[in-house]
Structures are given as structure tokens and as C-alpha cells.
Amino acid sequence: MSRFADPRRRLRSLPSPSLLPEDEDKSTSNNGTFTFLARKGGKKGKHIFSTSFAWGKTIFLAVGTTLLLQSFRAVSKVAHLKTTSTSGITQEYDAVIVGAGWAGIRAAEILIKGGVENILVLEAHNYIGGRSKSINLDNSINNPSMHSNFTNIPFDMGAEWLYADTEMEDALINGGFMKGVQTRKPDAYFIPIADSAFYLQTDVEEVTDGGTNKNDAATVKTERMRDVNAKELERRVWGGFKKYRKTLLAKRGKDRSYWSAVEKYKERLTDEIDIQFLDMVLAAAGQVDLADDITKLSLAEHKINEHKPDPAYYTSVPGVGYGNAAAKYAAPIVAHKVQLNSKVTEIDYSNPSSALVSFTTNDEEESTVHAKTVLVTASLDVLKAGNIKFTPPLPHWKQEAIDGMGFGTMNKCVLIWNDPSAAIWPDAKEWIELLPPKDENSGKWTTFWNPTKYKGIPILVGFVGGENARYMETQTDEEILDDVMINLKAMFPTITLPDRHLVSRWGSDESVLGTYSYKIVGRNASKDQKQLRKAVENIWFAGEATSSWYGTTIGAWDTGEMAAKGMLKVLSTGTTSVN
């Protein structure tokens, strides 16, 4: 589904300062993710953070360097040229798009190709790409000139995988944006229990000093499980739960949370190792991949680890990176229509022929523009929080869907070593799972992705989701590193501290407030997605939460295109209302 999840790889490149907005934040500890990992579910995938790319070298565009420079430099200037002037005259646009993530980028492209050039894209962040965010080795973020620079490694804090067999894949690969990514043979989509290295922990002594972490190497014994034993646990324990889930739903019919079913199933288990394995699967494929706790996940709607792997490309390779690709894709056509650091605060659509869009910039300057049509691609939690005021208030059916849908948080801790000999973990395994004793640390930094072979330098990426992800955002980067290293040292006693680490904090990012949506217990997810996507007067909505491909960049891309086509129809016919 998503692994904002879908953690695959991250590369970085040192960009020329002239390619970055003047106020670009060059700090190395930045927000990152959803996978969006991205998600899955047959053809109806679900993770925004999982749509990403594979191994790669360079991305070339049929655009000269000069055009790229001009496009990127223009980003921070456009809106100021066309907003409320000192004389009180407000500029009117044919279309204003809220958000420059994949939904906004695709919508702007479709509008421009349809002949609508008078558009403005307002992006709250200081980069183009939304939840596709590449922090590069040179500290640049979402750098459109990154491609072809194989010495610059991206570290994607959001989406990393790109689903195969989709229109988005065709556009990015055929357009040359995935050069350097292995696209001849897609990877199987992330299934953590299919081919991972498992490390089992058992208690060896009671903690008596009151200050020792219960998962510290001194209090537990950690051993790697034989692959054959892990496969047997998967078959017997997880296979048994999948059968139990189907039987439960067939008998009871009514939806319930995953947690309620798991607790009942655990009554059948007598071996502590069986319970640890079950907890590991639910933490990795449930809490992390779906971005929230199993107490909130719908048993009927989510089939955790029951899907046939979806083919996907890992994009976070040297010279590429999903966030960099987003900026690169936008550069020649869309970027000059984007104003960064512009947070939309209100959309007044009381006049059906011209909405009034208000926004603030970093310097707290308030501006307004008129728009014949508006597309909102803000995250579901931004809408939940009421950070954008709608005048008049949104209809009850729309607000009820917003309030009722689930939206979670998944975060990453990227560990980077300069010395190749630092990679002492199994090089043949891309996923590493720790099975701790059942205590407060279960599911906390126990799932690791190993993209070393793709990056060219030793890299491990730790994942947390749900309550664990929200809690870690209250910690400092150093405290987070300490927690991560406790578990890594338990598995690999001689491991050294990384030379650098990056931490995502998507839940604390006021412009996102999380990573991606999920199917909450007791809700009709398909109906909610359609209601959220439905236009209100001249206001359209798009993004991963509005799509059956929820939690993926595919969902964002597709719904952005759908909305733009609806806007084109209204603009071409002069219609003032779509309802």
C-alpha cells in the first residue's frame, strides 16, 4: 500500500544556489515521506508514498539548462505580479490551484495543454513536489537539475516507488524522467514478510535499575531466525490469521477494527514467538504501511499482506529521486506558474462565477486573487483541521466525508555512513525486521529498509507509523537516533553511529499534518473518496485521499487530471456551476 512508506531509496545532489528559491531551507534535518510510500491493493493501490522509482542514473529533458533556470527562478515571482495591487485591483485567473504536489502539477499541465494559460498555483512549502520530497546529498531539496548527477544521492522522505503499468509511469518513463532507474523489470511491491531478515528477541533478565531500556542488548537475547523458520511462521501464524479474518467477516458481516480481531485470534496462540511474529507483521504491514494503529483500521476494507505484490520501480537512486523528478517534471511547463511559500487561508465561493482566494506568504503578507475555477489539492488533515476556511461552509455531505475519513502519519529515520565497511548488515536482504518482546517498544523502529545496493553507500532507513510516528515527533533528532540505534545494536552489536541521519516529521508539517489516508473502521471508503472528490460550485478537489488509489502518487496524479478536465469543460462553456 503505501510505505511512505514504501521506502526505497534516497539520493542527493549539490545544486547550484541559483537553482533554488532565495529562501530555500538548506538544513539537513527536514520533514520527509507516505510512501507516500505508496500503497497497494491489486490495481487499486493505496499508498502515496509508495509510488516511486527504481535504480537510476540520470534524467534528461528536451529542455535547455537556461529554460530550467528561468522556470525555477520564476516560481517565487509569478503570484506577486498578479495579486491584489496597491490600487485595490485584484487579478482574476481562469484557474487557481492550491498545492504543487503531483495532483496540482498534473492538473496545471492538463489545463495548459487545454489552452488555459492564465493559472496560478499556490504552494505552502518552499519546494515543488508536496509529499514527494528528496533531500539530496548536497542538501538541496527537490532539485530539477539533479538528474544526470550520479554523485549526488537523493534521500526521499516521502514517496519512493513508482507503480508500473499506469499512465503516470508511461509519462515519467517515456518522458525521460526515470533515466537511471531500472525500468526493464519492476520490483515486486514491498511485502515485508515475504523476503526479510528476521531477528528474534527474548528476555534474559529483569530490569532492576529502573533506567535500562527493556530492549537493550544487556536485557534481551537477539538472534537471527533461519529463513526456513520464518517462512513456517508466516505460513502458520499469519496464514492462520488470514483464514480467521475471512471466517470472522463471513459470520459476523459487520465491520470491526483489526485490533479486535487480532486480540481474539491471539487467544488461540500459546507460543510467545507466534505472538511476536504476529505483532511484527501488524506493525510493519499495518501500522507502518497504513500509517495508523490497527485499532483504527477497517478489518473489512484492509487486506493486510494478502495482496499479490504490485510491480513498482524504486526511484530514489543517484541522479534521480522522486521529489527531484516532480520538480524536474514541473520545470518546463508548470513551474513558472507556481508561487512558493504561499499558504491559502480562505476560499470564498459565494459568487458562483468568481471565487476569492486569500493566502499569506512567509513575510505574513496577505494577498487575494479572483478565480473562475479553483482546485484544492490540500491534504485530508489540512481540510479536517479547517486550515482553509470555506465561505460559505462546505455542504454537509462534503464535510461529513472529510471528518469521517482516516488520515495517518508514517515517518522515517535515514541513516547514512560514508565508509563502505560500515555496512555489516545482510547485504542480500532489502528488509530487516526485529521481533522484540511484547512491550512498549513493539513496532517502534523495528522495520528497516536496506537500499545500500541502490545508493552506492551504506544506508538504512527506519520506519514508524501511527502513534509511534506521532510520539517521535515530540523528540529531538538525537533522541530518535538513540532509540533507533538501540535496536540496531541489538541486531548488529558492532554497528557504528551513522555519519549523518535525517528524520521526517510529516505530522508536524502544518501544510500536510500527516502522510496519507487509510480506510477507517465503520466507513464506506469508496463513497467517502467520491464525496471528497466531488466539486462544489466552481471548487474542485483532488489528491490521494479522493482516489481509490489512496495513499499513492498515482491517486494524486489521476485525480488531478480528472479535476482539470472538469475545469476545462466549465471554462470552455462558461458554466458557473458543476452541480
Side-chain angles (χ1 to χ4, degrees):
M1 301 250 330
S2 181
R3 274 259 163 155
F4 187 34
D6 278 8
R8 292 309 147 67
R9 325 237 150 58
R10 323 191 194 297
L11 309 186
R12 313 191 173 201
S13 61
L14 291 165
S16 167
S18 63
L19 288 176
L20 298 173
E22 293 179 0
D23 56 355
E24 180 65 274
D25 180 7
K26 296 183 175 61
S27 65
T28 59
S29 178
N30 291 284
N31 276 356
T33 166
F34 248 127
T35 128
F36 254 100
L37 232 291
R39 301 182 185 168
K40 55 197 292 165
K43 209 60 180 171
K44 301 292 186 181
K46 347 168 173 180
H47 297 281
I48 207 176
F49 292 12
S50 41
T51 19
S52 296
F53 318 103
W55 26 128
K57 301 182 178 179
T58 299
I59 294 185
F60 294 98
L61 242 192
V63 179
T65 302
T66 301
L67 177 56
L68 287 174
L69 284 166
Q70 292 174 341
S71 297
F72 208 64
R73 287 170 175 165
V75 166
S76 61
K77 301 178 181 178
V78 177
H80 293 296
L81 299 177
K82 299 184 177 182
T83 56
T84 304
S85 68
T86 54
S87 62
I89 300 176
T90 301
Q91 174 70 28
E92 181 172 57
Y93 291 88
D94 290 323
V96 169
I97 298 174
V98 181
W102 281 110
I105 292 171
R106 182 58 173 168
E109 179 186 21
I110 294 298
L111 287 169
I112 292 170
K113 287 182 176 180
V116 178
E117 290 278 352
N118 184 28
I119 68 174
L120 173 65
V121 183
L122 297 171
E123 170 55 51
H125 290 109
N126 59 358
Y127 62 88
I128 291 175
R131 281 163 276 177
S132 291
K133 182 177 183 180
S134 301
I135 301 177
N136 301 302
L137 193 60
D138 62 1
N139 296 331
S140 63
I141 298 176
N142 287 16
N143 184 357
S145 65
M146 167 75 166
H147 300 91
S148 79
N149 184 349
F150 302 117
T151 64
N152 207 355
I153 302 174
F155 304 91
D156 281 287
M157 308 308 290
E160 299 189 69
W161 286 271
L162 173 67
Y163 281 118
D165 305 322
T166 63
E167 292 184 6
M168 185 177 185
E169 174 218 6
D170 291 341
L172 295 181
I173 291 179
N174 295 336
F177 298 94
M178 290 295 105
K179 289 184 178 179
V181 169
Q182 175 56 264
T183 58
R184 289 173 295 179
K185 183 181 179 182
D187 295 323
Y189 176 76
F190 151 72
I191 303 279
I193 65 174
D195 185 27
S196 301
F198 298 96
Y199 290 81
L200 178 67
Q201 287 188 324
T202 53
D203 285 314
V204 294
E205 63 180 59
E206 293 295 325
V207 178
T208 58
D209 64 5
T212 305
N213 187 299
K214 288 187 67 177
N215 280 353
D216 189 276
T219 65
V220 295
K221 179 181 179 181
T222 306
E223 294 181 306
R224 180 175 175 180
M225 297 177 63
R226 296 176 59 194
D227 288 349
V228 64
N229 293 342
K231 291 184 182 299
E232 170 59 18
L233 281 172
E234 178 184 357
R235 182 196 66 78
R236 181 169 53 81
V237 178
W238 187 246
F241 176 75
K242 289 191 291 185
K243 292 179 181 179
Y244 176 75
R245 172 186 172 275
K246 292 178 181 178
T247 300
L248 194 63
L249 289 173
K251 286 183 178 180
R252 304 292 177 86
K254 186 178 180 181
D255 192 15
R256 60 178 61 198
S257 71
Y258 250 92
W259 177 84
S260 65
V262 168
E263 290 304 298
K264 293 292 293 183
Y265 179 70
K266 282 183 177 180
E267 295 176 2
R268 303 182 176 194
L269 304 179
T270 57
D271 193 320
E272 181 63 27
I273 294 178
D274 290 357
I275 295 177
Q276 286 179 256
F277 189 85
L278 181 64
D279 287 339
M280 179 277 299
V281 176
L282 292 168
Q287 188 181 59
V288 168
D289 196 39
L290 297 174
D292 219 331
D293 303 330
I294 62 173
T295 56
K296 301 176 182 178
L297 302 180
S298 166
L299 185 69
E301 295 278 6
H302 287 296
K303 296 181 179 180
I304 295 177
N305 245 322
E306 295 185 33
H307 304 91
K308 180 181 179 181
D310 293 322
Y313 306 109
Y314 181 66
T315 65
S316 190
V317 299
V320 189
Y322 217 161
N324 294 321
K328 176 82 168 181
Y329 189 88
I333 302 176
V334 177
H336 61 291
K337 304 289 187 180
V338 179
Q339 177 170 323
L340 301 176
N341 302 308
S342 300
K343 183 178 298 185
V344 173
T345 56
E346 183 176 3
I347 299 174
D348 184 338
Y349 64 103
S350 53
N351 180 350
S353 63
S354 181
L356 187 64
V357 181
S358 302
F359 60 96
T360 60
T361 56
N362 273 0
D363 57 8
E364 301 302 322
E365 176 186 352
E366 294 186 0
S367 300
T368 58
V369 294
H370 282 294
K372 295 178 181 178
T373 60
V374 178
L375 172 59
V376 178
T377 71
S379 77
L380 176 60
D381 247 27
V382 166
L383 296 178
K384 282 177 175 288
N387 290 354
I388 298 176
K389 178 183 178 182
F390 289 89
T391 304
L394 293 173
H396 173 74
W397 56 264
K398 171 76 76 173
Q399 193 62 52
E400 197 276 337
I402 291 172
D403 294 339
M405 296 177 73
F407 192 79
T409 301
M410 188 280 292
N411 279 315
K412 304 177 184 179
C413 179
V414 183
L415 309 174
I416 307 158
W417 289 265
N418 298 327
D419 185 355
S421 66
I424 61 173
W425 47 88
D427 58 2
K429 297 291 186 178
E430 294 188 353
W431 290 98
I432 300 169
E433 298 286 350
L434 178 65
L435 286 65
K438 182 170 177 53
D439 61 15
E440 68 275 11
N441 288 320
S442 294
K444 181 179 179 182
W445 302 119
T446 55
T447 293
F448 293 89
W449 160 247
N450 171 25
T452 300
K453 69 179 181 181
Y454 302 102
K455 302 289 193 180
I457 58 176
I459 302 286
L460 287 176
V461 183
F463 291 84
V464 288
E467 187 58 38
N468 286 329
R470 289 185 283 272
Y471 169 74
M472 57 132 297
E473 295 193 17
T474 68
Q475 298 178 290
T476 65
D477 285 4
E478 291 68 29
E479 290 171 335
I480 292 169
L481 179 61
D482 288 343
D483 285 346
V484 171
M485 291 305 296
I486 285 172
N487 286 344
L488 286 177
K489 282 184 176 294
M491 294 185 285
F492 315 112
T494 61
I495 193 170
T496 59
L497 285 171
D499 295 292
R500 180 182 184 185
H501 72 288
L502 300 171
V503 176
S504 69
R505 299 176 184 274
W506 288 105
S508 303
D509 184 337
E510 294 182 355
S511 299
V512 183
L513 299 177
T515 48
Y516 42 76
S517 61
Y518 62 87
K519 297 180 178 180
I520 198 168
V521 63
R523 300 288 302 188
N524 183 326
S526 178
K527 178 182 178 181
D528 284 341
Q529 290 157 356
K530 290 178 181 178
Q531 294 288 73
L532 184 59
R533 186 171 64 246
K534 189 177 180 181
V536 178
E537 297 297 340
N538 54 344
I539 312 299
W540 275 257
F541 295 80
E544 59 83 20
T546 71
S547 171
S548 58
W549 277 84
Y550 64 97
T552 69
T553 55
I554 298 295
W557 172 283
D558 288 349
T559 57
E561 179 174 330
M562 291 170 58
K565 289 179 177 179
M567 295 163 76
L568 282 173
K569 184 176 181 180
V570 167
L571 290 169
S572 65
T573 61
T575 305
T576 58
S577 175
V578 298
N579 296 325

